[in-house]
Amino acid sequence: MAKTKNAFEATAKQFARIKGGAEVADANEAALQLQEGDLAFIDPPYSGVHYSRFYHVLETICLGQCGEVTGRGRYPAWEARPRSKYSVATEAKGALDDLLSKVASRRARALLTFPDHACSNGLSGKSVREVAGKHFRVSFQHVDSQFSTLGGTGDDRDDEAGRAARQKAKELMLVLDPK
């Protein structure tokens, strides 16, 4: 508890010298607003499962109301969930290529993080490096990390855990400089 309190107090004393901002937008569209010299941080989805499935509690709080809850942890209904091309194996590589093409066309730099293994959305660390190399000079390093698997149980396994809640992984940190 003391470490948490000390870290909170130290962080609370830090502040930006220039007022920033945040906006919710499609990354592939927002990339067109970048300017030469900007730095974009890119952390695309790596799962074949749409993340919106897991954010229903936050969305309910923001909306101030809860819709009908259906299925097992799958609120809202499939049709009402936001869909990402990055979570569809047949579309993820094209979506990433489109994004990086737009960032490069604006002569912006980028930092991109991605697991250095094959992922359920069809991308891998190798394929991400290849796509990035079409548009940028790429340098990278590996970082040991842990990913949340969101735990859970697999189908037809009763209450047996399908996987550990955390898995060790190597993540890529790519620095992308305009060509």
Side-chain angles (χ1 to χ4, degrees), residues 46-49 87-89 117-123:
Y46 55 87
S47 173
V49 176
S87 293
V88 179
H117 57 77
C119 296
S120 60
N121 68 345
L123 294 174

Side-chain angles (χ1 to χ4, degrees), residues 8-144:
F8 178 78
E9 288 174 351
T11 302
K13 294 176 185 175
Q14 299 175 14
F15 58 91
R17 296 181 195 273
I18 300 171
K19 185 177 180 178
E23 87 179 58
V24 176
D26 179 295
N28 292 52
E29 293 173 18
L32 294 174
Q33 303 304 313
L34 292 171
Q35 298 177 21
E36 185 171 351
D38 283 349
L39 175 65
F41 178 74
I42 302 170
D43 184 35
Y46 55 87
S47 173
V49 176
H50 295 280
Y51 290 175
S52 60
R53 169 182 167 191
F54 304 107
Y55 295 133
H56 63 274
V57 173
L58 295 175
E59 289 181 10
T60 296
I61 291 168
C62 291
L63 294 172
Q65 64 184 16
C66 182
E68 180 184 353
V69 178
T70 61
R72 292 182 285 166
R74 297 177 184 211
Y75 165 81
W78 175 257
E79 311 80 55
R81 290 185 221 156
R83 181 182 177 281
S84 171
K85 290 180 180 182
Y86 290 92
S87 293
V88 179
T90 58
E91 299 179 45
K93 189 172 184 179
L96 182 63
D97 185 64
D98 178 59
L99 174 61
L100 296 182
S101 172
K102 288 175 179 171
V103 173
S105 75
R106 308 301 293 180
R107 307 264 324 129
R109 296 180 69 215
L111 297 176
L112 190 152
T113 62
F114 201 82
D116 195 22
H117 57 77
C119 296
S120 60
N121 68 345
L123 294 174
S124 67
K126 180 181 178 185
S127 65
V128 168
R129 287 192 312 269
E130 289 172 357
V131 171
K134 289 173 47 180
H135 306 287
F136 294 94
R137 289 190 313 273
V138 178
S139 58
F140 67 92
Q141 68 181 43
H142 292 98
V143 176
D144 290 326

Side-chain angles (χ1 to χ4, degrees), residues 142-156:
H142 292 98
V143 176
D144 290 326
S145 63
Q146 286 191 347
F147 284 109
S148 169
T149 65
L150 299 174
T153 58
D155 292 336
D156 302 320

